[in-house]
Amino acid sequence: MFQGASAITLDAKGRMSIPAKHRDALTIQCEGRLTLTKHPDGCLLMYPRPVWEAKRDQIASWPMSARGWQRILLGNASDVEMDATGRILVAPELRAAVGLGREVILSGMLTHFEIWDPAKRAENEQATIDVGMPDTLSDFSF
C-alpha cells in the first residue's frame, strides 16, 4: 500500500500535488476521492474515501465518554477530490489547525497518509526515539 515520505510544496491556494507514485493507486482505489482530518499528534490524516468511511463508522460508534475525540476526528473531516493534475486542496482551517506552511511532508502509513509540517515531524520522531522502544516491541529485530 502506501509507504515512504515525500517532500511537497503547497501552492498559494493551499493545493498539494499527490506524488505520482501514489496517484495511480488512489485513482484506482477511490477514484481520487479522499478525506482529510486532524490527528491529535499535530498532523493531518489523509484517507482514501472507502478506508475513511469504515474508520468513520468505527469512530461514530464510540461511547459518549469519547465525544471529544469524535469532535476532533469527525468534526474536522473534509472530503476532497484530486483534480485532473493530481492535486487536492487542503482547507485553510486544517492547515492552520496543525501549523502547515508552504513545505509539507506526506508520509505513507500503509492504508492512509499523514501530512506534516517538516519541523513538527522531526520533533515528533525525536520525541519517539527519546522515549525508547515500548515493551510490546521488545522481540522486534531490525
Side-chain angles (χ1 to χ4, degrees), residues 19-92:
K21 65 183 178 182
H22 301 304
R23 200 175 301 156
D24 290 342
L26 288 170
T27 300
I28 292 167
Q29 182 178 354
C30 62
E31 300 173 336
R33 297 178 311 124
L34 305 162
T35 299
L36 301 173
T37 194
K38 283 173 46 175
H39 188 286
D41 283 348
C43 66
L44 295 179
L45 297 170
M46 183 175 83
Y47 285 94
R49 188 77 46 80
V51 176
W52 169 251
E53 289 170 352
K55 187 68 67 179
R56 178 195 63 201
D57 292 345
Q58 286 179 320
I59 296 166
S61 71
W62 290 351
M64 283 300 289
S65 60
R67 181 56 109 195
W69 289 106
Q70 287 174 320
R71 282 189 193 103
I72 291 169
L73 296 166
L74 299 176
N76 288 290
S78 173
D79 292 337
V80 298
E81 292 191 24
M82 284 193 308
D83 67 14
T85 61
R87 296 176 304 184
I88 61 165
L89 177 64
V90 181

